[in-house]
Amino acid sequence: MIMNYIFGGLMLISVICGILTGRISNVSDAILSGSDDAIKLIISLTGMMCFWTGMMKIADKGNITAVLAKFLSPINKHLFPHYEKTGAASKAICMSMIANFLGLGNAATPLGIIAMKEMQKETGKTKTLNNSMIMFVVLNTASIQLIPTTMIVLRKIHGSKSPFEIIIPVWISSVIALAIGITVAKLLEERSKIKKWKS
Amino acid sequence: MEKLGSFILPGMIFVVVIFGFSKKVKIFDTFMKGAKEGLISTISIIPAIIGLIVSISMVKASGALDIFTSFVSPVFAFFGIPAKTVPLILLRPISGSGALAFVSSIFDSCGPDSLIGKVVSVMMGSTETTFYTIAVYCGSVGIKNIRHTVPAALSADFTGFIVSVLAVKLLLS
């Protein structure tokens, strides 16, 4: 439901703003380049996606994912209560979490998509995200990673004397941000439950 | 650093293959089976990705962000966020490459070791391209009702931006 309004709203706002700011020709270009970018993204994603789903199958048969899922289950049973701790969805969630933590960035995206697909498979095809799925998306929109490589490299290129000094502030900031994100998600899920009860 | 980073991906693959062999998995057959599933799911997400990416790039090009910046700067100032970083805060959830370009321009004008330079580094390192992530993940399963995903994710981003300023001021100045 809400995606319809977001999608339509974004396009209406862009056209109106484009006219007001005199950048309508930029908007026009963006429509062409945007669809171009989208298909380029999909093509580059397809390669990694197929490669990862293939490697995941091997990891799964080799029992790595089960070990990871067991290791992370004390956290995951609170964050993703809809899924069994050693089910296919939990395993995919763990692989994606590890990839993000190690800072794989774009290479981690396909693993996240695999996890979403597995979650949907396990709880049935619906048009609505369940609380666990929302928690997983929130977890992925936060950026918990061991080493913020991109920023360190960029700082070094621009002649920083101490490119690494941002590491600890980044850890602090991302951990607190994620904690707030999880809390807000939990609070809002309570509220949406109550709403449903009343109606 | 770049060298250490480049060990991660090959390292993961090495571990997967070693474990596979030790459990006598038919590595290539299994890989093919998995990759085929990946191909099918990628095809199914194409329509959603195209729609969302086009609409997000339209917003970026329309100048809506500049208008929004002038409206919200006072609000951010109230939370102790410097005005110079406001465009980054608005850009970050929408466009990863746009945010990176903005950070580069700050590095060029103020230097990476200035207070502003450090603040934008930490902001950039501790947040994600939120709307892009939501679009790709939710689009991939064809979900239409995302409930409270956006407010929860944005509250995390906003916290990240405020804490970045505080952490830099406390630890690095």
Side-chain angles (χ1 to χ4, degrees):
Chain A
M1 292 300 154
I2 201 163
M3 275 322 272
N4 292 327
Y5 291 111
I6 293 178
F7 181 59
L10 284 177
M11 292 198 284
L12 290 182
I13 290 170
S14 324
V15 174
I16 293 167
C17 280
I19 294 169
L20 291 179
T21 56
R23 291 163 75 166
I24 195 71
S25 66
N26 299 31
V27 176
S28 173
D29 290 343
I31 299 169
L32 299 172
S33 66
S35 39
D36 207 43
D37 289 345
I39 212 73
K40 274 184 200 147
L41 170 77
I42 290 159
I43 288 172
S44 64
L45 206 61
T46 308
M48 272 315 281
M49 184 88 182
C50 293
F51 184 71
W52 270 129
T53 43
M55 292 311 284
M56 268 287 283
K57 261 257 145 60
I58 301 174
D60 203 32
K61 289 263 167 71
N63 245 355
I64 303 178
T65 50
V67 173
L68 279 177
K70 214 167 204 176
F71 178 70
L72 289 171
S73 72
I75 310 170
N76 287 0
K77 73 176 177 210
H78 294 293
L79 293 179
F80 314 109
H82 293 82
Y83 300 99
E84 269 195 58
K85 67 178 177 202
T86 49
S90 291
K91 288 178 188 167
I93 290 171
C94 291
M95 284 301 279
S96 152
M97 281 166 79
I98 297 288
N100 274 312
F101 183 69
L102 293 176
L104 292 187
N106 287 336
T109 307
L111 287 172
I113 297 174
I114 297 168
M116 289 298 283
K117 294 248 175 206
E118 287 296 340
M119 283 193 265
Q120 199 187 32
K121 217 185 273 171
E122 216 163 300
T123 38
K125 226 171 163 57
T126 57
K127 297 265 178 213
T128 309
L129 289 186
N130 66 35
N131 293 340
S132 299
M133 288 165 136
I134 292 177
M135 201 52 93
F136 181 71
V137 176
V138 170
L139 214 67
N140 275 285
T141 61
S143 165
I144 301 285
Q145 53 174 296
L146 198 56
I147 299 158
T149 331
T150 318
M151 277 325 296
I152 292 171
V153 172
L154 194 68
R155 285 171 62 77
K156 211 164 133 193
I157 293 170
H158 283 83
S160 168
K161 288 197 183 76
S162 46
F164 293 94
E165 67 178 359
I166 59 160
I167 290 184
I168 290 171
V170 166
W171 286 345
I172 295 173
S173 170
S174 54
V175 167
I176 296 178
L178 179 61
I180 295 290
I182 290 174
T183 313
V184 171
K186 282 273 177 203
L187 288 175
L188 291 178
E189 79 190 28
E190 283 304 315
R191 213 189 57 168
S192 55
K193 216 185 280 171
I194 293 164
K195 248 189 203 163
K196 207 186 268 172
W197 193 250
K198 275 180 184 162
S199 57
Chain B
M1 179 49 48
E2 299 99 290
K3 276 186 187 143
L4 193 70
S6 57
F7 275 100
I8 296 175
L9 201 51
M12 272 178 96
I13 292 179
F14 186 80
V15 172
V16 168
V17 175
I18 286 282
F19 264 76
F21 272 128
S22 76
K23 293 270 170 188
K24 297 200 168 56
V25 178
K26 285 180 192 147
I27 306 268
F28 194 60
D29 295 343
T30 315
F31 174 83
M32 297 265 281
K33 216 192 238 171
K36 201 172 176 184
E37 287 169 19
L39 188 61
I40 293 165
S41 35
T42 322
I43 290 168
S44 70
I45 69 176
I46 292 177
I49 303 286
I50 291 180
L52 291 164
I53 298 232
V54 171
S55 63
I56 290 173
S57 32
M58 282 171 76
V59 171
K60 267 196 297 184
S62 70
L65 276 181
D66 304 333
I67 297 176
F68 201 58
T69 307
S70 52
F71 275 114
V72 295
S73 279
V75 183
F76 284 124
F78 177 78
F79 288 100
I81 293 174
K84 266 191 179 161
T85 64
V86 172
L88 176 65
I89 294 176
L90 298 178
L91 211 54
R92 185 67 179 115
I94 303 172
S95 159
S97 54
L100 213 54
F102 180 79
V103 169
S104 277
S105 73
I106 290 267
F107 283 174
D108 284 333
S109 60
C110 309
D113 294 326
S114 63
L115 186 67
I116 289 288
K118 288 174 189 168
V119 169
V120 293
S121 307
V122 176
M123 282 180 169
M124 189 71 193
S126 60
T127 50
E128 260 293 334
T129 320
T130 300
F131 281 104
Y132 169 83
T133 309
I134 294 176
V136 171
Y137 281 32
C138 299
S140 70
V141 286
I143 271 174
K144 302 230 173 65
N145 186 354
I146 60 172
R147 293 171 62 214
H148 53 275
T149 309
V150 172
L154 285 185
S155 70
D157 282 347
F158 194 62
T159 311
F161 293 129
I162 296 173
V163 177
S164 297
V165 179
L166 292 177
V168 169
K169 282 186 175 161
L170 284 174
L171 297 171
L172 300 183
S173 63

